[in-house]
Amino acid sequence: MNGSDPFDRLERLIHRPISSRPDWLLIWRDEAHHLLFLARRAGANDDTDTLDELATEAEVMADAMERRLTFEGL
């Protein structure tokens, strides 16, 4: 990971203001919210293995979203 909290990064992307809201963005936000929900649950249960896996997924998801936003000029 790049040193920043991948869950915080994902949260910032979810709430990033975007003038147009294509369908794919709404679907992505739902998936990101679900991943963050699972991370909160894993954290509450002190399930560090699952939390580490979800952190990796969050980083991959955030990377993909940033690339797509850049590609589409959003």
Side-chain angles (χ1 to χ4, degrees):
M1 285 186 250
N2 62 10
S4 66
D5 183 336
F7 301 118
D8 286 341
R9 184 173 163 218
L10 198 60
E11 189 87 38
R12 285 191 308 273
L13 281 169
I14 288 171
H15 296 292
R16 179 178 170 174
I18 297 176
S19 58
S20 67
R21 292 208 169 73
D23 289 341
W24 63 263
L25 180 60
L26 299 175
I27 293 167
W28 177 84
R29 283 182 174 167
D30 285 343
E31 291 173 5
H33 277 293
H34 183 69
L35 189 144
L36 291 171
F37 166 77
L38 294 175
R40 284 190 292 275
R41 179 188 279 175
N45 292 332
D46 293 322
D47 185 350
T48 56
D49 291 336
T50 299
L51 202 52
D52 288 344
E53 289 175 24
L54 292 169
T56 300
E57 286 183 45
E59 188 167 10
V60 168
M61 184 181 275
D63 287 344
M65 179 46 105
E66 287 176 339
R67 280 192 306 273
R68 183 142 189 199
L69 289 170
T70 299
F71 176 76
E72 297 203 13
L74 300 171

